[in-house]
Amino acid sequence: MNSDAVLLLETVHFAAEKHRNQRRKDAEQTPYINHPVGVARILSHEGGITDIEVLQAALLHDTVEDTDTTPAELEAKFGPIVARIVQEVTDDKSLPKQERKRQQVEHAPHCSRQAKLVKLADKLYNLRDLNRCTPVGWTAERVQEYFVWACEVVKGLRGTSSALEEKLDELFRQRGVQL
Ligand SMILES: Nc1nc2c(ncn2[C@@H]2O[C@H](COP(=O)(O)OP(=O)(O)O)[C@@H](OP(=O)(O)OP(=O)(O)O)[C@H]2O)c(=O)[nH]1
Ligand SMILES: [Mn+2]
């Protein structure tokens, strides 16, 4: 088996273990790991991305934010580039939510191209997930606000992947969000 396949299996196994007790916010309580796997799959299948470090970072992108995983642990296991990309897409959960959301808009244009790719695929997955079903406790207004905010973040990520940006733009258009 080629070494990229071995590396991806090692990475998806690590992410699955880390997210094993986490569920999505939908009524069916979908396993959380479906999200990072789906984000990596969007990058490869829809974005044509073959950069192994980007695909690994996509699989790991929520481990530091949402589990006990540390950046040092990622660096030791997957190397400095993967660890850096994950760090770039990790929100500071000690900040109030509104400030975290504001910082994503502010930081997006300063991210590396690799981190921008992960962020584009993350938003595309989450917006499609909102179209699939509404998270438990969310109102229609909150869903619409998420689309408006995501569009602001995506503005700072443009010029990175026309394939992913076109798919995002179609979702914003369907919601009447001004591009
Ligand atoms: N659409 C949707 N999202 C769900 C669901 N379950 C969990 N999530 C996660 O919820 C986050 C969006 O919800 P918010 O209320 O805006 O953010 P918060 O969880 O950080 O407070 C996303 O985090 P994230 O991936 O870190 O991305 P980001 O939105 O913070 O950039 C998304 O992955 C679900 O069933 N549907
Ligand atoms: Mn995510």
Side-chain angles (χ1 to χ4, degrees):
M1 195 160 50
N2 75 55
S3 60
D4 277 1
V6 173
L7 216 49
L8 278 180
L9 280 174
E10 199 57 24
T11 311
V12 79
H13 169 74
F14 179 93
E17 285 293 325
K18 289 297 190 175
H19 288 296
R20 70 183 175 278
N21 294 321
Q22 237 187 311
R23 297 290 177 272
R24 298 288 284 173
K25 298 168 182 169
D26 57 349
E28 303 95 81
Q29 303 194 301
T30 303
Y32 195 85
I33 189 62
N34 283 35
H35 166 64
V37 169
V39 171
R41 202 258 183 180
I42 284 173
L43 286 166
S44 66
H45 192 254
E46 301 183 61
I49 302 302
T50 55
D51 179 342
I52 186 76
E53 282 152 340
V54 170
L55 300 177
Q56 286 181 284
L59 290 168
L60 298 167
H61 82 272
D62 278 328
T63 58
V64 174
E65 195 172 297
D66 295 335
T67 78
D68 64 4
T69 309
T70 64
E73 191 179 0
L74 291 185
E75 176 152 359
K77 207 159 164 44
F78 301 108
I81 297 173
V82 171
R84 189 213 71 226
I85 302 168
V86 174
Q87 208 38 31
E88 285 185 86
V89 304
T90 297
D91 284 359
D92 181 350
K93 281 268 180 119
S94 72
L95 296 173
K97 183 161 176 156
Q98 218 187 319
E99 175 62 12
R100 259 192 285 136
K101 296 276 167 193
R102 200 188 61 73
Q103 287 202 358
Q104 276 209 38
V105 176
E106 193 179 290
H107 292 161
H110 309 292
C111 284
S112 67
R113 173 184 155 77
Q114 289 171 311
K116 284 178 178 171
L117 285 168
V118 174
K119 289 181 73 68
L120 285 169
D122 188 24
K123 292 295 180 285
L124 184 53
Y125 185 103
N126 284 332
L127 295 173
R128 285 174 174 167
D129 218 15
L130 286 176
N131 282 342
R132 183 182 65 87
C133 64
T134 304
V136 174
W138 284 40
T139 60
E141 291 68 39
R142 182 162 172 192
V143 171
Q144 185 68 17
E145 278 166 20
Y146 189 92
F147 273 82
V148 170
W149 167 76
C151 188
E152 288 305 306
V153 178
V154 167
K155 273 179 194 161
L157 303 171
R158 290 189 185 278
T160 308
S161 162
S162 53
L164 300 187
E165 289 160 44
E166 280 165 20
K167 290 178 185 205
L168 281 157
D169 288 348
E170 178 55 25
L171 296 181
F172 295 134
R173 247 181 261 116
Q174 284 167 8
R175 290 273 172 170
V177 176
Q178 201 63 42
L179 298 182

